[in-house]
């Protein structure tokens, strides 16, 4: 089959192909925009669902005491949750409309670890109180999948009579999400049962660290296999990169949010294996390189003696 020739005798010109770089750049730009948009969406969703004020128990009575409870710090090591409790009077207990001063004395009891009593004097605002409440049903080494439970009780009395209590709950710890549920007793006391889990950002960063550890370990293993097959001796830049990766993983693991203890689930899933693979790859590469260097030296000495 012969190519068609025009009147001048030259073959027809090949039509130009559409440039590939333009659509590749467009696809890459679209992926970056999509990832950034997804990240912003996740951030906005987490911001709107956390650090919210929840009215867990508001009595129907006109005379009651509001307890503004703020969860400030979750300490898995000590198995404690720090609550900041502020009593606010309502109805005949308040010195005036919108006033935080008590018109009559009252005592607010918080059942935690230990039991705490907040006394409100007549004509004065009740002092805010830090309360340590114990957590249970959780192990810190399950990081980042550790979950905890917390139970606390709130009751109030005035002149020996029970006073209805309302709880307004807010959590401010950026590393945990608290999901409280309140139960009101017949005497107006409130029992608080709270589930505590790691925040979404902690989950995302933990999974990223696990994936990064395995990626670095497999990259070092692949490089060690290439150097072994090529028999190139001691390649110092490669050995330096492997040694740097070995110690860089330690720093990255210690930077995990929440400071998980050594021996956590994340260590057994990724960190220990990654460190072992990198250390073995580095040692084997160095040993093979040393043997290759000695072999090359003996060959050069044999060539010099033969000459």
């Amino acid at each position: 089959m012969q190519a068609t020739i025009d009147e001048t005798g030259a073959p027809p010109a090949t039509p130009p192909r559409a440039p590939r770089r333009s659509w590749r750049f467009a696809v890459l730009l679209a992926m970056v925009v999509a990832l950034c948009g997804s990240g912003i969406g996740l951030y906005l969703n987490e911001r709107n669902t956390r650090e919210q004020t929840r009215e867990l128990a508001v009595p129907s009575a006109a005379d009651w005491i509001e307890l503004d409870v703020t969860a400030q710090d979750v300490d898995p090591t000590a198995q404690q949750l720090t609550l900041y409790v502020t009593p606010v009077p309502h109805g005949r207990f308040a010195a005036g409309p919108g006033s935080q001063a008590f018109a009559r004395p009252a005592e607010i009891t918080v059942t935690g670890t230990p039991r705490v009593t907040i006394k409100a004097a007549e004509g004065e605002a009740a002092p805010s109180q830090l309360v340590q409440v114990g957590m249970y049903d959780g192990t810190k080494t399950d990081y980042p999948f550790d979950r905890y439970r917390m139970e606390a009780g709130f009751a109030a009395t005035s002149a020996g009579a029970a006073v209805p209590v309302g709880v307004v709950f807010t959590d401010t710890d950026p590393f945990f999400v608290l999901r409280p549920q309140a139960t009101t007793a017949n005497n107006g006391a409130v029992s608080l049962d709270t589930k505590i889990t790691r925040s979404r950002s902690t989950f995302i960063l933990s999974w990223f660290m696990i994936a990064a550890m395995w990626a670095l370990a497999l990259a070092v293993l692949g490089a060690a296999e290439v150097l072994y097959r090529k028999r190139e001796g001691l390649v110092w830049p490669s050995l330096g990169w492997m040694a740097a990766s070995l110690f860089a993983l330690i720093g990255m693991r210690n930077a995990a949010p929440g400071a998980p203890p050594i021996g956590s689930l994340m260590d057994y899933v990724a960190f220990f294996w990654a460190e072992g693979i990198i250390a073995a790859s580095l040692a084997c590469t160095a040993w093979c390189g040393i043997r290759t260097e000695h072999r090359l030296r003996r060959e050069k000495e044999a060539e010099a003696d033969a000459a």
Side-chain angles (χ1 to χ4, degrees):
M1 183 176 180
Q2 297 181 352
T4 305
I5 301 176
D6 59 9
E7 295 179 354
T8 60
T14 304
R17 295 183 178 180
R20 294 184 177 180
R21 292 185 179 180
S22 59
W23 69 264
R24 288 180 178 177
F25 176 77
V27 171
L28 180 61
L29 181 61
M31 292 177 60
V32 172
V33 172
L35 291 174
C36 292
S38 301
I40 294 175
L42 290 172
Y43 162 73
L44 293 176
N45 178 263
E46 185 171 9
R47 188 191 66 174
N48 293 332
T49 55
R50 297 188 61 250
E51 298 188 10
Q52 299 295 313
T53 300
R54 307 177 181 93
E55 295 182 351
L56 300 179
V58 178
S60 58
D63 305 322
W64 59 290
I65 297 178
E66 173 186 336
L67 299 179
D68 294 336
V69 180
T70 302
Q72 291 187 330
D73 180 46
V74 178
D75 189 354
T77 302
Q79 293 283 297
Q80 285 185 341
L81 170 62
T82 301
L83 301 178
Y84 192 73
V85 183
T86 303
V88 178
H90 289 274
R92 63 186 177 89
F93 292 99
S99 175
Q100 292 191 354
F102 279 75
R104 57 189 63 192
E107 288 188 359
I108 297 94
T109 302
V110 183
T111 305
T113 309
R115 183 173 178 155
V116 176
T117 300
I118 304 174
K119 295 184 178 181
E122 182 178 353
E124 299 179 0
S128 300
Q129 183 74 41
L130 285 176
V131 180
Q132 303 290 340
V133 181
M135 300 188 306
Y136 65 96
D137 197 21
T139 304
K140 189 178 181 181
T141 53
D142 289 341
Y143 180 93
F145 303 102
D146 48 335
R147 300 169 180 267
Y148 306 93
R149 296 283 297 273
M150 182 276 294
E151 292 182 353
F154 303 90
T157 58
S158 178
V163 179
V165 172
V167 175
V168 178
F169 189 87
T170 305
D171 66 293
T172 59
D173 194 316
F175 299 112
F176 291 89
V177 175
L178 283 74
R179 297 178 176 86
Q181 292 182 349
T183 303
T184 304
N186 294 330
N187 61 351
V190 175
S191 298
L192 194 63
D193 185 1
T194 305
K195 296 180 180 180
I196 305 172
T197 59
R198 298 281 177 175
S199 63
R200 179 191 299 167
S201 56
T202 301
F203 273 108
I204 293 175
L205 185 55
S206 299
W207 278 111
F208 170 78
M209 295 175 68
I210 290 173
M213 289 177 185
W214 274 109
L216 287 176
L218 295 178
V220 171
L221 180 62
E225 191 268 342
V226 171
L227 293 176
Y228 172 76
R229 289 182 178 275
K230 295 181 70 173
R231 300 290 199 276
E232 289 192 358
L234 293 174
V235 182
W236 297 110
S238 297
L239 294 175
W241 165 61
M242 293 180 184
S245 300
L246 183 67
F247 292 100
L249 285 185
I250 299 176
M252 184 174 68
R253 187 255 175 249
N254 291 335
I262 294 295
S264 299
L265 180 62
M266 183 179 70
D267 298 327
Y268 285 99
V269 170
F271 178 68
F272 290 159
W273 296 104
E275 287 288 283
I277 291 173
I278 294 175
S281 300
L282 175 61
C284 292
T285 301
W287 176 250
C288 294
I290 292 172
R291 294 183 59 186
T292 301
E293 293 289 345
H294 283 298
R295 178 177 57 81
L296 294 176
R297 179 178 58 82
R298 288 194 298 268
E299 291 177 356
K300 289 181 180 180
E301 290 177 353
E303 290 177 358
D305 293 340

